[in-house]
Amino acid sequence: MPPRTLFDAIVIGSGIGGLVTATQLAAKGAKVLVLERYLIPGGSAGYFERQGYRFDVGASMIFGLGDQGTTNLLTRALNAVNVSQESIFDPVQIHYHLPNGLDLKVDRVYEKFLQSLIAYFPHEQKGIRRFYDECQQVFNCLNRIDLLSLEEPRYVMRVFFQHPLACLGLAKYLPQNVGDVARRHIKDPQLLKFIDMECYCWSVVPANMTPMINAGMVFSDRHYGGVRYPKGGVGQIAQKLADGLEKAGGEISYQARVTKIITEKGRAVGVQLANGKVYYGKRIVSNATRWDTFEKLLPADEMPVNEKNWQQRYQKSPSFLSLHIGVKASVLPTGTECHHILLEDWQKMAAPEGTLFVSIPTLLDPDLAPAGYHIIHAFTPHWIDDWQKLSPSEYEAKKEQAAGRIIERLEQIFPGLDAGLDYLEVGTPRTHRRFLGRADGTYGPIPRRKLRGLLGMPFNRTALPGLYCVGDSTFPGQGLNAVAFSGFACAHRIAVDLGL
């Protein structure tokens, strides 16, 4: 039998979490292989091209590309493998179009944002300041420490001795959710609904189920490192990380769909591809969702108890219905912002087609569309069950009807959009499942009930020796900067385990 080629680490999937893990390990001299089922890297942070348009697969509101502090994790990940990414400042994080005439822009300048919100809720001036200032305190604690693996005791001790106050501050907020903190300062039910939306727009759950640590990061970093758009599209971040990985001596293989994690004597030792090819590694990292990892890549009937417990606490969030639109530039009024959220009824915030998310990245980077045109990416939550068991003609008709409803709503902010359409492509939860390889096309895990902040979210090691998970179903959860954090943590833990 020929000797096995043994990698230090094999990473399943090239989402941002997987790529950060791989590049961090390669930068430390590890022999790393990344296996990606699709043609390009990035997963939900990928892109596709049609008729002169370059569309982002997912959202285009990017944190972590700043140049100061320790929370600019995407910049730090790129730097580790000697690559860089030009980015364009977005002066407004979101333009909210909410019920009861609540029309508000979240300005990059903190004070300007607070004043805009206070103008709607003058009686809550003190509460607004206290709540968002408390979010800033969480962020300042995070932004002081090197964000690595909380599973590594020596690192935790070292950081604690270097920054005791920051660590105690974070420990205090770990079990808390945003809703609890907001209600300590704020009474107005409409303002509390607004804070629900501030959370929902990235966590897809309301404030009482959103961990305070995550909110501290998002609500404050938008005024610190700022929201930035990567020049050339979001897909460039993954592309640059993949290039950096190869420069650092790592390997990435495309159209390599892993169908099985191989175990020997109760330990993960390798992976098998759909074509039967087998690779062996000292450590295996899954950037697939935990559902895909423990129900498809491993025997579902042998699922470890702690994974079953995790599934009792967390469920799959919905997927999205996405419209990728090419439109005449004249449709957008002067002064239009890049990101919008549209909701007509507070009761429908979390319902399918309730909240409508809109990104117009060509306002920041016009090169993504033909001259005289813009890209509008509109997406709204949808469950995969509503799209199953349809004939091809029923499927197309359902897509067309849903697109019609969304365009009608977009016309409220962009009159004449329908008449200015140049290109339209509709993606459903089935599309997300097929291209991203995510169970039910899910956006990620959400709590089944109110949990104690981030305490229920697992770290990178799993109950199966040799197997680690990375990405949005590990601490600290969803969002590009959050999965980058999980990548730094995972690589740090593996490097210590391998003695690198």
Side-chain angles (χ1 to χ4, degrees):
M1 193 171 145
R4 295 174 174 179
T5 304
L6 196 63
F7 289 90
D8 289 317
I10 296 172
V11 180
I12 304 165
S14 69
I16 296 296
L19 285 173
V20 171
T21 305
T23 47
Q24 285 287 303
L25 285 169
K28 290 180 170 80
K31 187 179 181 189
V32 183
L33 171 67
V34 176
L35 298 166
E36 169 53 52
R37 59 186 281 153
Y38 194 47
L39 307 164
I40 57 167
S44 316
Y47 70 95
F48 62 97
E49 293 180 308
R50 299 280 189 278
Q51 295 179 19
Y53 293 96
R54 178 180 281 196
F55 292 109
D56 296 324
V57 169
S60 48
M61 189 191 298
I62 309 299
F63 296 89
L65 285 173
D67 46 23
Q68 53 190 24
T70 60
T71 53
N72 54 344
L73 296 171
L74 295 175
T75 299
R76 292 174 63 212
L78 292 158
N79 289 347
V81 282
N82 300 312
V83 289
S84 61
Q85 172 62 50
E86 190 187 336
S87 62
I88 304 152
F89 256 125
D90 193 345
V92 165
Q93 183 214 2
I94 297 179
H95 184 173
Y96 285 114
H97 310 262
L98 300 175
N100 311 327
L102 183 47
D103 187 285
L104 179 81
K105 294 182 183 186
V106 179
D107 198 278
R108 177 160 186 251
V109 179
Y110 182 55
E111 192 54 40
K112 221 168 159 183
F113 160 61
L114 289 188
Q115 291 300 340
S116 302
L117 189 55
I118 288 165
Y120 279 98
F121 303 99
H123 53 291
E124 287 281 17
Q125 177 168 350
K126 262 191 191 148
I128 288 169
R129 280 197 181 279
R130 284 176 181 159
F131 169 68
Y132 283 102
D133 281 355
E134 199 161 341
C135 293
Q136 295 269 2
Q137 287 166 29
V138 173
F139 177 74
N140 291 338
C141 294
L142 284 166
N143 204 31
R144 255 183 232 131
I145 61 180
D146 209 12
L147 301 173
L148 293 169
S149 177
L150 299 177
E151 291 182 282
E152 214 287 280
R154 280 171 304 176
Y155 156 76
V156 174
M157 293 300 289
R158 188 177 77 242
V159 168
F160 183 78
F161 285 118
Q162 286 169 345
H163 307 281
L165 294 177
C167 291
L168 288 169
L170 290 174
K172 174 181 138 185
Y173 286 108
L174 261 176
Q176 298 192 51
N177 289 321
V178 180
D180 304 323
V181 178
R183 276 192 294 275
R184 286 208 291 268
H185 302 301
I186 290 164
K187 298 287 173 281
D188 187 301
Q190 178 93 341
L191 179 53
L192 289 169
K193 284 279 182 212
F194 173 76
I195 289 165
D196 276 337
M197 177 55 88
E198 280 260 81
C199 294
Y200 183 80
C201 74
W202 49 270
S203 69
V204 295
V205 284
N208 70 340
M209 292 164 92
T210 299
M212 185 62 186
I213 297 269
N214 299 42
M217 184 79 129
V218 175
F219 294 166
S220 306
D221 195 27
R222 62 191 181 187
H223 307 293
Y224 177 81
V227 175
R228 300 173 186 232
Y229 188 75
K231 182 96 179 93
V234 173
Q236 288 299 301
I237 300 170
Q239 198 60 65
K240 293 276 175 69
L241 284 170
D243 294 346
L245 173 68
E246 292 182 321
K247 272 193 212 163
E251 294 176 44
I252 183 161
S253 183
Y254 298 101
Q255 292 183 286
R257 184 162 71 87
V258 174
T259 51
K260 185 181 179 185
I261 292 169
I262 298 166
T263 58
E264 286 176 4
K265 297 177 184 164
R267 182 180 183 84
V269 295
V271 298
Q272 185 173 342
L273 303 188
N275 64 9
K277 195 163 185 181
V278 170
Y279 294 97
Y280 290 96
K282 295 177 190 171
R283 297 293 186 274
I284 309 300
V285 181
S286 176
N287 191 194
T289 70
R290 290 188 105 84
W291 295 282
D292 289 295
T293 304
F294 288 97
E295 291 173 13
K296 293 176 187 167
L297 300 180
L298 288 161
D301 56 357
E302 292 173 28
M303 190 186 295
V305 172
N306 63 350
E307 290 301 325
K308 288 181 185 165
N309 292 341
W310 182 80
Q311 291 198 13
Q312 303 280 301
R313 295 194 303 272
Y314 288 89
Q315 62 185 338
K316 296 176 201 128
S317 74
S319 183
F320 286 102
L321 176 79
S322 284
L323 269 61
H324 289 94
I325 302 168
V327 69
K328 284 181 184 160
S330 55
V331 166
L332 301 183
T334 311
T336 299
E337 304 300 345
C338 179
H339 296 106
H340 300 258
I341 281 185
L342 181 60
L343 177 68
E344 296 86 354
D345 178 351
W346 283 124
Q347 301 307 311
K348 294 184 177 167
M349 183 180 81
E353 287 186 42
T355 300
L356 184 55
F357 302 80
V358 182
S359 291
I360 313 170
T362 38
L363 290 167
L364 300 173
D365 185 357
D367 296 346
L368 301 172
Y373 290 88
H374 277 298
I375 282 169
I376 298 180
H377 177 199
F379 49 108
T380 187
H382 253 255
W383 295 99
I384 199 162
D385 292 355
D386 296 334
W387 294 90
Q388 306 282 45
K389 298 178 180 160
L390 300 172
S391 70
S393 61
E394 287 169 336
Y395 184 57
E396 287 309 315
K398 191 175 171 73
K399 284 206 298 192
E400 205 172 304
Q401 287 159 4
R405 290 192 299 272
I406 287 167
I407 287 167
E408 207 173 297
R409 289 173 69 190
L410 287 172
E411 287 253 349
Q412 295 171 40
I413 350 178
F414 309 124
L417 184 143
D418 200 11
L421 274 186
D422 175 58
Y423 181 83
L424 173 64
E425 185 154 340
V426 184
T428 72
R430 278 168 50 175
T431 320
H432 284 260
R433 180 178 62 187
R434 181 176 156 213
F435 286 103
L436 303 179
R438 293 176 68 90
D440 297 344
T442 180
Y443 171 68
I446 55 174
R448 288 184 184 273
R449 58 185 182 278
K450 187 178 171 186
L451 299 173
R452 286 170 54 76
L454 264 181
L455 291 181
M457 195 47 106
F459 294 122
N460 302 102
R461 284 192 292 191
T462 70
L464 180 64
L467 176 68
Y468 302 71
C469 282
V470 73
D472 55 22
S473 41
T474 60
F475 184 96
Q478 281 127 348
L480 281 203
N481 214 23
V483 297
F485 183 146
S486 105
F488 273 96
C490 190
H492 176 212
R493 182 63 258 180
I494 291 171
V496 170
D497 292 347
L498 290 174
L500 294 175

